[in-house]
Amino acid sequence: MKGLERYAVVSCHVERPLDDRVWAAFERLLVRRPGGFVVTPLVRPPHAGSGEDEELWLERAQRAASLAPLGHHTHWGGPTQARPTRDVDAASVVRGEVEWLRARGLEPRYFCGGGWYVDEPVAEALASFGYVDCSSTTFRQGYLAENAPRLQLEGPARVRLPSGAELLELPATHSAGMLARALLRLPGLVHLHFHDWELVDRRRAAAIEMLLRVLGLLRHPLTADELAHRAANAGEIAWAEATIAR
Ligand SMILES: [Zn+2]
């Protein structure tokens, strides 16, 4: 999309907010904003089946929401099962989580499916809640099967769903490793994503910190809200042309 080449945005899949070390490292990053980046926390709600502490989760999610535009990350089978297994109704899990969050006063605006999963019913559910989706990527994940449901786009786009609803997509362009290898030949807009648990590995944390600082020199940092605003008139693409599989 033209006009966004000079900008960068950063989001984090917050998968382990109940792990004290992971949370402390992530919270420090949210507060310090290296490179000037307000990292969008895409937070995974607690999984009742795994006995995760809802009260502590809420406290931490509220803290994240006070520091940055809040996002929502769904794992369809608990902490370690990101993509839905066959027996799961993916859209109804997302709807249930959104209702759970809203009943507790949290209204995330951004979303990313676990393992980059998104299918048509999920996309329709996201649009119905007014979400902006970050489940798409500009690149293909080597670990996913060729026909695995996912969304690949060249940049921010308004995806027209079969119902007629519109879903704004802000695709991720780089993982931390990809960005480190691409710093000298960055394309246009950069949307860096990483995981909260990467921050408790000292080498990875230092690499992410360095990447944010360098990226902040090469690109003007935007918040997710600012990027969503600037991308509101992005080109439109039909769902059927954008998805890899259904
Ligand atoms: Zn995840």
Side-chain angles (χ1 to χ4, degrees), residues 13-235:
H13 298 187
V14 181
E15 301 183 339
R16 299 186 195 167
L18 295 173
D19 180 314
D20 291 342
R21 270 185 70 215
V22 173
W23 170 254
F26 180 63
E27 187 186 22
R28 275 199 303 276
L29 192 80
L30 275 185
V31 171
R32 289 204 338 274
R33 301 183 173 177
F37 286 100
V38 177
V39 176
T40 306
L42 298 154
V43 190
R44 180 181 64 78
H47 185 240
S50 305
E52 293 188 311
D53 184 338
E54 295 187 357
E55 219 166 292
L56 181 62
W57 187 93
L58 269 176
E59 204 178 283
R60 291 179 175 178
Q62 280 158 355
R63 171 74 173 145
S66 75
L67 293 166
L70 188 66
H72 172 184
H73 182 52
T74 290
H75 274 196
W76 280 277
T80 56
Q81 178 58 46
R83 289 174 73 91
T85 47
R86 252 181 202 196
D87 51 333
V88 170
D89 178 345
S92 87
V93 171
V94 172
R95 280 195 298 271
E97 286 188 347
V98 175
E99 281 156 19
W100 186 90
L101 291 163
R102 291 190 172 178
R104 284 152 187 81
L106 289 172
E107 291 218 18
R109 184 175 176 216
Y110 302 91
F111 181 84
C112 182
W116 309 102
Y117 182 87
V118 61
D119 62 15
E120 185 186 315
V122 168
E124 293 281 7
L126 300 177
S128 75
F129 290 116
Y131 271 19
V132 172
D133 189 31
C134 303
S135 305
S136 51
T137 51
T138 58
F139 55 91
R140 171 169 147 63
Q141 297 84 355
Y143 60 89
L144 289 180
E146 215 153 289
N147 61 351
R150 68 189 179 93
L151 198 52
Q152 187 168 338
L153 297 164
E154 284 172 13
R158 292 176 300 126
V159 176
R160 186 66 59 191
L161 301 175
S163 69
E166 179 184 301
L167 182 61
L168 179 60
E169 289 285 341
L170 304 178
T173 63
H174 297 82
S175 64
M178 286 168 68
L179 185 62
R181 292 188 293 274
L183 272 180
L184 295 178
R185 47 187 163 81
L186 282 185
L189 172 72
V190 173
H191 179 174
L192 168 68
H193 82 87
F194 61 93
H195 302 89
D196 57 351
W197 44 264
E198 295 186 65
L199 300 171
V200 292
D201 177 311
R202 270 173 61 191
R203 275 180 54 196
R204 274 207 216 194
I208 288 170
E209 173 99 19
M210 184 275 288
L211 279 173
L212 291 176
R213 291 185 186 285
V214 174
L215 185 60
L217 299 173
L218 298 172
R219 290 289 185 277
H220 183 76
L222 291 183
T223 65
D225 285 347
E226 288 167 342
L227 177 60
H229 180 72
R230 286 171 190 270
N233 294 317

